Amino acid sequence: SHSWYDDGDVKMRRLTAVVDAFRSENGREPTFWIDKACVDQSCIADCLKVLPVNVMACSKLLVLFGETYAERLWCAWELYVLFSFARLEHAAERVVLLPLDSEFDAVARLSNFDIAHAHCYDPNEEARLRLVIQAVSTCEF
């Protein structure tokens, strides 16, 4: 999980380090589900319907946490999906939180998450996602 607004070069360096460490530890390449490559970008709204399947099929949820991560509604939705369909302890064990900048506390920023300040690039997509979130209650989100 990542924000498209965060620095792509920094994300690539962090992702490369993850791949190198995984390869060294497991003797094989890791596999990733990456939205841009795995979701048909011409019908992103349909992704909302199957995102729980994709998230829950992953053994880990890698969060490349940059400056804008906690402001992106899709990022919050991905985490919400994981924590909604798994026990808290199990979901927490699956999250690999990698801050892109060592100067800020990613956990504190997530703890202070406010849905009112989170947005999508596309206002129509944001409206659809907010409808789903309202259906489950913003208090739980």
Side-chain angles (χ1 to χ4, degrees):
S1 182
H2 70 102
S3 167
W4 286 101
Y5 290 88
D6 291 328
D7 187 313
D9 292 332
V10 174
K11 288 188 292 187
M12 183 54 104
R13 284 193 299 274
R14 295 294 279 164
L15 187 57
T16 299
V18 167
V19 168
D20 291 345
F22 184 93
R23 186 184 312 115
S24 176
E25 185 175 317
N26 297 284
R28 66 174 181 85
E29 301 294 323
T31 56
F32 294 97
W33 181 89
I34 300 176
D35 56 356
K36 189 72 168 182
C38 299
V39 171
D40 183 345
Q41 298 297 298
S42 67
C43 55
I44 293 174
D46 290 339
C47 175
L48 182 60
K49 298 173 187 170
V50 298
L51 185 67
V53 173
N54 292 317
V55 169
M56 297 312 294
C58 296
S59 60
K60 297 285 184 186
L61 178 64
L62 176 64
V63 175
L64 298 173
F65 194 99
E67 190 68 32
T68 68
Y69 187 88
E71 301 165 6
R72 308 310 307 158
L73 195 54
W74 267 110
C75 296
W77 178 250
E78 290 168 355
L79 288 172
Y80 178 79
V81 165
L82 175 63
F83 281 88
S84 293
F85 288 95
R87 289 189 338 267
L88 178 63
E89 304 80 29
H90 187 214
E93 289 172 1
R94 292 175 60 187
V95 174
V96 178
L97 188 61
L98 289 178
L100 298 181
D101 182 346
S102 61
E103 296 299 312
F104 61 84
D105 183 352
V107 173
R109 293 183 89 176
L110 282 173
S111 297
N112 294 320
F113 172 77
D114 183 348
I115 192 170
H117 300 294
H119 301 284
C120 294
Y121 171 77
D122 178 348
N124 295 316
E125 186 177 303
E126 181 173 330
R128 284 190 295 271
L129 191 50
R130 285 189 183 280
L131 283 173
V132 174
I133 292 166
Q134 288 171 355
V136 297
S137 170
T138 55
C139 293
E140 292 189 29
F141 196 79

